[in-house]
Amino acid sequence: RGTSNFNKKNYKLTKEMFTEMEKDGLIDSKAGFTVEYKNKELYIDGKKQDEKTTDKYRKYFKQDHFKMTIEKE
């Protein structure tokens, strides 16, 4: 039986990351967005982010690959 490894701690961290990204003007939760982390690079809505931005958010990614899409409200 498979279990989701997206537990409460991960949810809290992800929510915190999205809040921070919104403050930085990187995402708009009302418009919807996709955040992806792969090969140690950060993409928001398919656009590769610069190294400074990627470094700031790297702590939130516990796996080598993360992708999440939030639908428009």
Side-chain angles (χ1 to χ4, degrees), residues 17 24-25 38 45 47-48 52 54 56-57 59 63 65 68:
M17 175 180 71
D24 287 348
K38 63 182 179 184
D45 293 328
K47 185 176 168 228
K48 185 179 170 186
K52 185 180 173 195
T54 302
K56 177 178 180 176
Y57 291 100
K59 66 182 178 192
Q63 298 144 327
H65 189 254
M68 185 175 277

Side-chain angles (χ1 to χ4, degrees), residues 35-73:
V35 172
E36 185 171 16
Y37 181 75
K38 63 182 179 184
N39 303 322
K40 296 185 169 51
E41 294 174 338
L42 177 63
Y43 296 82
I44 297 175
D45 293 328
K47 185 176 168 228
K48 185 179 170 186
Q49 301 303 302
D50 61 36
E51 205 162 320
K52 185 180 173 195
T53 303
T54 302
D55 284 345
K56 177 178 180 176
Y57 291 100
R58 186 168 280 125
K59 66 182 178 192
Y60 292 106
F61 302 105
K62 301 299 178 208
Q63 298 144 327
D64 290 337
H65 189 254
F66 169 95
K67 185 172 184 177
M68 185 175 277
T69 299
I70 302 298
E71 298 296 326
K72 185 178 176 179
E73 279 184 5

